[in-house]
Amino acid sequence: MIKGVMFDFSGTLLRVESTEEWLAAALAETGIQPAEEFGETARRLTEYGALPGGPSPQHLPAHLETLWDQRDMSPEQHRAAYGGLTHAAGITDPELVQALYDRHMIPAAWRPYPDTGPTLRALRRRGLPVAVVSNIGWDLRPVFRAHGLDELVDAYVLSFELGVQKPDPVIFRTACDRLGLTPADVLMVGDSREADGGARALGCPVHFVDHLPVDQRPGGLTPLLDLLGPV
């Protein structure tokens, strides 16, 4: 019987803005114009996976491979990994590199999926505690507060605070412990079969959603309520 739910953050409950929106906001803030035309700059940033929470790199420079694999272990590694990818995409102006990185951490850069709030509120009504379990290099709590979701989350288990990344079972066990539940009673919901699927090693049931733009996934979380049965 499911007594609590763990959720991934990016691509599960909220989605980061598009690469084009991200780049435009940073350019507007700095007043810098990239060396290449806007569309080409956005394309290269996408190709190199420079937007945290956005598409993964299609081309990962060899010197960044280890850093990429461990990027969510600390704020320093996270910033270095994505700064390196931004450089690889052809943006080398330090002010613009910093503006791009800083932009992705502000609440305005993130949008909840349409059914995120309704699903979390339904779980609250049912008395099921919720944890957010994320591979991330910065504190996402202000994003949840700004979108009115923080009061619906009972625990945050963030890789950079724990020093452990999904799919390591330690991060899921920590979340279960903070919810006061055994793993078999906690459903893990995420978009990554590799990272979020690691919860299975503890005996947690797992449910996957598609990591799609917000306007393309209006009801990805709603089926969870059917899985949990009637109130």
Side-chain angles (χ1 to χ4, degrees):
M1 179 179 178
I2 301 302
K3 298 179 181 178
V5 184
M6 298 183 284
F7 287 96
D8 171 53
F9 164 54
S10 174
T12 299
L13 293 177
L14 294 95
R15 166 83 181 219
V16 74
E17 64 191 349
S18 70
T19 304
E20 289 78 11
E21 292 169 317
W22 173 60
L23 175 59
L27 292 176
E29 179 187 338
T30 60
I32 296 170
Q33 289 303 313
E36 296 180 298
E37 181 264 332
F38 179 89
E40 176 61 17
T41 301
R43 186 196 68 76
R44 287 181 60 81
L45 287 167
T46 300
E47 178 182 351
Y48 282 91
L51 170 59
S56 295
Q58 300 169 34
H59 303 293
L60 184 61
H63 71 281
L64 293 177
E65 287 178 358
T66 299
L67 192 57
W68 173 257
D69 288 341
Q70 301 174 359
R71 66 192 181 279
D72 295 314
M73 298 290 279
S74 73
E76 294 76 19
Q77 286 165 284
H78 194 268
R79 181 181 289 272
Y82 283 102
L85 292 170
T86 300
H87 272 268
I91 293 181
T92 56
D93 186 302
E95 183 182 0
L96 183 54
V97 172
Q98 179 172 329
L100 284 167
Y101 186 81
D102 291 347
R103 167 71 190 182
H104 96 274
M105 294 186 290
I106 69 172
W110 294 87
R111 291 175 58 198
Y113 284 94
D115 58 348
T116 291
T119 298
L120 293 178
R121 284 190 287 273
L123 293 174
R124 180 68 71 195
R125 288 194 298 271
R126 293 175 186 224
L128 298 182
V130 166
V132 171
V133 184
S134 179
N135 282 354
I136 197 165
W138 49 276
D139 186 3
L140 51 72
R141 294 173 183 85
V143 175
F144 278 75
R145 287 196 290 269
H147 289 288
L149 301 172
D150 180 64
E151 62 185 16
L152 303 172
V153 177
D154 299 282
Y156 294 92
V157 181
L158 311 181
S159 61
F160 83 95
E161 293 180 337
L162 199 62
V164 175
Q165 297 180 152
K166 297 180 289 187
D168 192 316
V170 169
I171 196 167
F172 303 108
R173 182 172 294 282
T174 300
C176 292
D177 289 346
R178 291 184 184 176
L179 295 180
L181 298 170
T182 61
D185 294 332
V186 182
L187 175 67
M188 176 65 208
V189 182
D191 66 292
S192 170
R193 280 155 176 77
E194 178 185 0
D196 301 312
R200 283 200 178 107
L202 288 180
C204 297
V206 180
H207 177 76
F208 295 109
V209 295
D210 294 323
H211 189 150
L212 294 170
V214 167
D215 58 357
Q216 295 179 28
R217 208 195 78 192
L221 297 171
T222 304
L224 292 179
L225 304 180
D226 294 331
L227 290 175
L228 298 174
V231 178

